[in-house]
Amino acid sequence: MPTPTRTSLDDIVAAARALLESDGLAGLTMQAVASHVGVRAPSLYKHVGDRDDLIRLVSEATVADLGNRMAAIGSSGSGSTDTGSNDTSSANIAELAREFRRFAHEMPAGYHLVFAPGPHAACPSAESLATAVAPLLAAATALAGPGHALDAARTLTAWANGFLSMELSGSFNLGGDVNHAWEYGLASIIAAISAE
Amino acid sequence: MPTPTRTSLDDIVAAARALLESDGLAGLTMQAVASHVGVRAPSLYKHVGDRDDLIRLVSEATVADLGNRMAAIGSSGSGSTDTGSNDTSSANIAELAREFRRFAHEMPAGYHLVFAPGPHAACPSAESLATAVAPLLAAATALAGPGHALDAARTLTAWANGFLSMELSGSFNLGGDVNHAWEYGLASIIAAISAE
DNA sequence: ACCTGAACACCGTTCAAGT
DNA sequence: ACCTGAACACCGTTCAAGT
């Protein structure tokens, strides 16, 4: 083994994620990634299938990161059984939503890749996405009851996703304090899905 | 004038929009557009600045289309004065939201380009976007009062945008009827922003 | 087993030349 | 005034050749 692996898949994905944030999806080129990990572009094809495959790996890594952070928040509030009080459920779900927003602010391009991919784009796997959002679904179940849990979770994630999508792309060009709008919307949504 | 304009800006934008829907943003190449309007790629630069400029024009045309459709819905229900009843306001805002969704279903790629562009992408102009959403803002004012109109409109558009973004990209991979989830969420949001 | 240079097809863009 | 072919830089990808 004369050239015993000069780079690794982890390095490649890490470099790709950094490039995605700094230069956008268009800046995530095979040549730029290769240069960052110290090899030439053709060498990358020993580690990933092609560019779309690399982008999918970036997406999976990003959603895994999010999942870990959501799980940390989700378990912090309640070591409890099925039915907590409505107050703690509301507080918990609000914390989860805020962590979601923090994550989007920290890596906007990665967030966008995962949660607002185009109609033709490759999404992260259903499992990893489900895992990432599991704490939120649990909190929604506690709040809305098992009968409306899925609808409630979808309503909350749809709102949060749409809000962040517009915030990150700068579509909130009418005036007003965006943080205030976030908290207003969050309170509205939680009240709406709590109401039986 | 030996070659008296063999194509036009309108033709070019129309071809670009068709290509965007059929082949995605990646398929919207200068060569493909040129071929569709019957010229060679370099000729397009007599009509548009560059590819990004063309994409911006597509975005503007798309949002103008949406604006016309929203305006048609917005005026149909009420030729009234400032304060309609809460019932008609709710019905009107629900109709607007459903028209928004219909539009997204008809041209998913165009919708995505306008409402879920990446952090680095060029958005449509603030004016045209504001015009398109004006009927919705008016309905939100009737429903939530002038004090909360902007927050309420943002909450509704954020939810609708996020819902459609996830629906179009196939992120609703947990089971359940998507149409039912839409109506559930819509009713929840309207109730939430109606509550004083 | 991994890396490389050379090569190919493709795309955006420019520009001198045609009419 | 608009269109064209030729050209350039760039990118994704393949592959035979190196070690």
Side-chain angles (χ1 to χ4, degrees), chain A residues 21-24 108-109 112 115-120 123 126 148 150-152 154-155 157-159 161-163 165-166 168-169 172-176 180-181 184-185 188-189 192, chain B residues 21-24 108-109 112 115-120 123 126 148 150-152 154-155 157-159 161-163 165-166 168-169 172-176 180-181 184-185 188-189 192:
Chain A
E21 294 302 331
S22 59
D23 298 347
H112 186 265
F115 287 97
H120 296 263
C123 300
H148 290 316
L150 188 55
D151 284 333
R154 273 177 177 163
T155 300
T157 55
W159 167 76
N161 185 10
F163 190 101
S165 187
M166 297 174 78
L168 293 180
S169 69
F172 279 156
N173 30 35
L174 312 158
H180 177 273
Y184 173 92
S188 299
I189 300 285
Chain B
E21 294 303 331
S22 60
D23 298 348
H112 186 264
F115 287 97
H120 295 264
C123 300
H148 290 315
L150 188 56
D151 284 333
R154 272 178 179 163
T155 300
T157 56
W159 167 77
N161 185 10
F163 190 100
S165 186
M166 296 175 78
L168 293 180
S169 70
F172 279 155
N173 29 34
L174 312 158
H180 178 273
Y184 173 93
S188 299
I189 300 284

Side-chain angles (χ1 to χ4, degrees), chain B residues 29-30 42 45 50-51:
Chain B
T29 68
M30 298 303 270
Y45 292 84
D50 56 13
R51 182 171 179 264

Side-chain angles (χ1 to χ4, degrees), chain A residues 105-116:
Chain A
H105 284 182
E106 280 174 34
M107 41 181 103
Y111 170 82
H112 186 265
L113 181 66
V114 172
F115 287 97

Side-chain angles (χ1 to χ4, degrees), chain A residues 71-85 88-89 92:
Chain A
I73 296 281
S75 58
S76 78
S78 78
S80 74
T81 56
D82 257 359
T83 57
S85 84
T88 56
S89 294
N92 193 23

